[in-house]
Each structure stands twice: as C-alpha cells, then as structure tokens.
Amino acid sequence: MGRALSKQYCAVCPCRCCRSNSNDSNERTSNRAGNLVYTNQYAVQSRYVALYNYKPRTSEDLPVKEGEEVEILSQEGEWTLVKKTEGRDVEEGYVPSSFVAEVGSLAAARWFFGRMTHVDVKRCLLRDENQNGSFLVWQNNEMDDLHFLSVRYGDIVKHYKINEEADFQNLSRVINQCSEEADYLCTRLTKPCVKLDRPSTCTLAHIAEWEIQHTSLQKKRLIGSGHFGEVWEGTWNGTTEVAIKELKGVDLQSKKKFLEEVEIMKQLQHERLIKLLAVCTEREPFCIVTELMTKGNLHKYLKSHSETRNLEFSLLNGFAIQIAEGMVYLEEKCCIHRDLRSENILLTEMLCCKISDFGLARLLKDDHDWMAPDCKVPIKWMAPEIFLEFSYTVKSDVWSFGVLLTEIVSYGEAPFPDKSILEFVNDLLNGIDVSPPACCPDSLNDIVLQCWNRNSDERPTFKDLQAMLMKCSPMLKTEELLLSTLECNSKKLGKWHSI
C-alpha cells in the first residue's frame, strides 16, 4: 500500500518557512465545498509520529501504526501526505491530519487529551478499562486553558493544577518520576487513560466528492428503522465503517425533505454533531452516509441501566452538558433541530454524545419556522407555541431539551407517562403546566422548569443552560503541582482534593 515518492520537498531548511512564508511553494486546490485549500509542494522533513493505527481507505492512503514515525510532505486540510522509509523502501500516502503529531510535542504524548471539561475527565478516567493510578493531562476549557494532571484514585479522580509552563519536556519529567514513585501525588502513576475514540474526519478520503456510487457501499446490519426508511451499519469501499441511512419513500415530497436534510448537514460541522460523509442521490434509493456510532443511541444506553440505575449523576449530567454544547452551536448557526430527544443522541465508545437525525431541522431565515400540517413530529417533546401557533423557534428546542433532561434522569422513561398524547396536548392548549418527574434531582428541577416556561422569550438560551448544568456538577477542586518541586523535593503540598 502507498505509492512511489514523487513530490519535491525542501530537504535542507530546518524551519517551516517552506510551508508558511512562500506563496510560490503553495498549490491552490478546491475541496468539495468549493473552498480554496493551500497545499504545500515543498514541505519540510520534520519528524512526526502516528497517534493511532490507520488502515488505508483508498489506494492513495498509507497504512501506519501507532508510534510509527513519518515525515510530512504536505497538508491538505484534514488530510496529510506523509512518507515513511523502512530499509530501502520509501512509501508515501495520505493519512488523516489528526492522526499524526510532531515528535516531542505535547500533542504526541499518549497521556495528553487536549481541551476538556472536568466532567469529561471524570467520565474518561472512571471507565472500567482504567485502574488505580491511570492518568491524563488536559487543558481546562473552564479555566483559561490551564493544564491539569488528573489521576484515578480508587473510585474518585484527583486533579493537580500544573502551575508552570506545561511543555512536553517538563510534563514528561513529571510523568516519568511519578511513575516510579508517588512523590506528592495521591498514588503512583500507572498507565495513561484509555483512548477508545479516534478523531473522525469530515470526508471519506483526501479527494472525495459528496456524491458517491451505491456500488461503493456494502450494508451489513440493520440498526434502526422508521417512517423515513432504514439505517444500516455498513462499509464504504470495503474499508471504512459507516452508517447508511436509506430513504424508504419515493414520492417527490420525501425526496425534497431528504435533500433539505442533506443541505443542512453539509453546513454543520461540530464535534457534538454527527458528521455527514457522503450521499447517494443519482438513483434510488437515496442514501445519507455518516460516521458510525458503535454504542448506539442514548435512549438505548439509559434503558440498559434502568433496572440497576447505577449511573453516577456526574455521568448523567455530563450527557446533558455535551448535548447543550452541540445545541449552542446550532443556536449560533440559527438552526432549529425540531426532534431533540434521547433516541437522536448517538454515543461513541467513550460515551461522547453526538446529535443526529436532522430530518426535521431547519435553518431559520427569520426568527421562526412554520410547521406543515402533515409534518410528523414527536408530540410529547413539543412546546406549547407549536400547537397554538404552528411556529418553531430556537426556544422550541429549549423546551424539548427540558424533556430530554427528564429522559436522562429517569433512565429513558417516556415523558409524561401519566398522560396520553391527547391529554398532554389539551393541557398545553388549556394553559395547564406540566411538571418534571419525581426522580428529577433538585439541581435539575429548576432548569427543567425554566425550559418549560410558557413564554418562550423567557426560556434560557442553550449557552445559559450549559453554564447552569456545569454548576450542577461538583466544582473542580485542585492543588497546585509545581514542576520544580519534583526535582528538589523541598516543598510539601497540602491535602489533595477530588471530585
């Protein structure tokens, strides 16, 4: 796999001027969205390392193994042309840009997890695959990107704020020393936290069009169905796992709605949203191809724990925070989802949430959108103004988010189980308020009620909701970790705190 080395590159210059300062050394190409992408024709022979195994998707790709060193030849958006030399063989090909990092950089360390919240850190470290002493280093989204070392200590997580320059050499020294003995930490460091998720790409390959052929898709297992059609687990090109959403209806209205969904998904790119990879629209059945979420949907996950109800509140609240983060992005894009519920939240292996199913979504041209009389909608997630005025706004999604919160805390129970659909609609039309379920914690009860304010203008924004939910999780308590103390052993630190 791979191809013969043919592109020229700078073999002398030790800096990055060849890639950044010379307009002559850049080629201009267009990606499938029509945006100009500058690719560098004379890249520097910097040493880079693969962060993950990569199995080629096309003949233009290069297989790499985690820890294998490569050289960067050029970077083309989210794909990078690399070469590797083994003995006398020289191979070059493409890998995802997020799969490689410069040797000796912080990003190349197995224990560095990048930007996170303390809720995410706890969710990752308390997985069953980790043990006492498992650890990671991260940048805190909530505290000006300060760096922290977090360690699993039994069934809790302890956090240490790094109060000096957090570069790779300094942190490596800390990790190595604390892997031999605990020093000032709660326990000796053992292994880096597991990374079960790999960065996803927005395209199937480095040169890819939105439109692909049906023959390139292979359906393997049916994973969902509805009035729209079916969702299959499958592969593209026999190499890449994908989800295939196949349209069932063939009438003109169904096709129109399908194409509207495609156009909306093309414009949305966020880590908390499912990624559209390709479409098949040249012949029937029409298909949408997205990244595959192996853990299924949030509703299914919650129901699997409904008997034991053994999930920590921090994990449940973490789901809500992640979904709110995705909805903040949609809010900023003036996009209404109109079908926000737990069945449309998909999970990665590390239990990261991604909002899916944009079949009812709309990009707002004004401040609201009208509901067609024949539109099939999830009734018990709908806000009063939808039934009173047939009008949707971003604040209608906020109402639905309140219902989603009750799904989370009740482990997937149907909302308002004591009311039929007709009774629920009549209550809304008659001004009768609805109440959160009895299992809803006090910390969330007020948030749900704010989402269900009958005056839509007085409902919080998703940015407000995200901040409220963050306050529901125990605040991050830390002690400072001075890198210099690990050398001189002269300063005792106080009692360690955990969340």
Side-chain angles (χ1 to χ4, degrees), residues 6-287:
S6 59
K7 283 199 175 185
Q8 294 180 328
Y9 52 90
C10 175
V12 179
C13 180
C15 68
R16 299 185 180 182
C17 59
C18 299
R19 283 188 282 171
S20 58
N21 296 333
S22 174
N23 291 331
D24 294 336
S25 64
N26 289 334
E27 294 179 349
R28 290 195 305 172
T29 60
S30 296
N31 63 11
R32 66 183 184 185
N35 299 320
L36 287 178
V37 177
Y38 287 84
T39 63
N40 150 272
Q41 190 177 8
Y42 304 104
V44 181
Q45 290 189 30
S46 298
R47 293 170 59 224
Y48 281 72
V49 63
L51 306 179
Y52 310 90
N53 294 333
Y54 179 66
K55 178 183 177 182
R57 300 178 179 182
T58 72
S59 61
E60 296 291 297
D61 292 351
L62 184 69
V64 294
K65 296 180 180 179
E66 179 185 346
E68 190 172 21
E69 287 195 15
V70 297
E71 293 177 8
I72 300 294
L73 301 182
S74 67
Q75 186 167 342
E76 303 174 21
E78 62 174 0
W79 294 90
T80 295
L81 180 64
V82 302
K83 80 161 186 175
K84 61 180 180 180
T85 305
E86 297 178 356
R88 295 182 179 179
D89 297 328
V90 178
E91 291 181 296
E92 87 173 56
Y94 288 91
V95 298
S97 301
S98 55
F99 277 46
V100 293
E102 194 166 0
V103 172
S105 67
L106 195 55
R110 290 182 59 204
W111 35 259
F112 184 66
F113 275 56
R115 293 167 60 92
M116 303 177 75
T117 67
H118 71 275
V119 178
D120 293 327
V121 173
K122 186 173 182 179
R123 169 173 52 81
C124 290
L125 279 172
L126 292 185
R127 290 187 61 87
D128 292 339
E129 295 90 345
N130 293 314
Q131 58 184 331
N132 191 63
S134 294
F135 66 97
L136 59 87
V137 174
W138 55 292
Q139 288 177 272
N140 194 329
N141 281 348
E142 310 148 71
M143 299 176 66
D144 300 323
D145 284 340
L146 293 175
H147 285 77
F148 288 80
L149 169 65
S150 295
V151 187
R152 177 166 183 168
Y153 186 52
D155 291 329
I156 60 176
V157 176
K158 292 178 179 276
H159 305 277
Y160 304 94
K161 183 173 70 172
I162 299 167
N163 200 29
E164 293 185 20
E165 184 179 353
D167 60 23
F168 175 75
Q169 290 184 343
N170 281 338
L171 287 171
S172 293
R173 176 168 48 82
V174 172
I175 301 305
N176 292 335
Q177 184 164 338
C178 292
S179 295
E180 296 177 0
E181 55 181 331
D183 275 312
Y184 300 114
L185 304 185
C186 55
T187 185
R188 183 178 65 84
L189 301 181
T190 55
K191 294 182 179 180
C193 178
V194 296
K195 280 185 180 179
L196 300 180
D197 293 344
R198 301 195 305 172
S200 55
T201 59
C202 299
T203 54
L204 287 167
H206 72 283
I207 297 178
E209 300 296 332
W210 285 116
E211 188 71 38
I212 61 174
Q213 299 299 314
H214 283 81
T215 53
S216 67
L217 297 173
Q218 300 83 40
K219 295 187 293 186
K220 294 168 56 178
R221 182 174 65 91
L222 182 66
I223 55 179
S225 61
H227 69 271
F228 62 87
E230 298 174 335
V231 179
W232 290 79
E233 176 185 335
T235 57
W236 170 76
N237 203 30
T239 61
T240 310
E241 292 187 332
V242 294
I244 305 166
K245 181 178 179 180
E246 194 172 76
L247 180 65
K248 181 170 61 178
V250 293
D251 59 279
L252 290 176
Q253 187 63 20
S254 296
K255 291 179 181 179
K256 180 176 179 292
K257 290 180 179 178
F258 177 90
L259 294 175
E260 287 175 350
E261 179 179 1
V262 168
E263 288 306 312
I264 288 174
M265 292 187 71
K266 284 181 179 180
Q267 300 179 52
L268 303 175
Q269 296 292 341
H270 192 274
E271 62 178 333
R272 299 301 184 199
L273 273 57
I274 199 73
K275 285 184 171 64
L276 174 68
L277 300 176
V279 297
C280 297
T281 59
E282 290 184 348
R283 65 176 178 83
E284 298 173 358
F286 285 3
C287 295

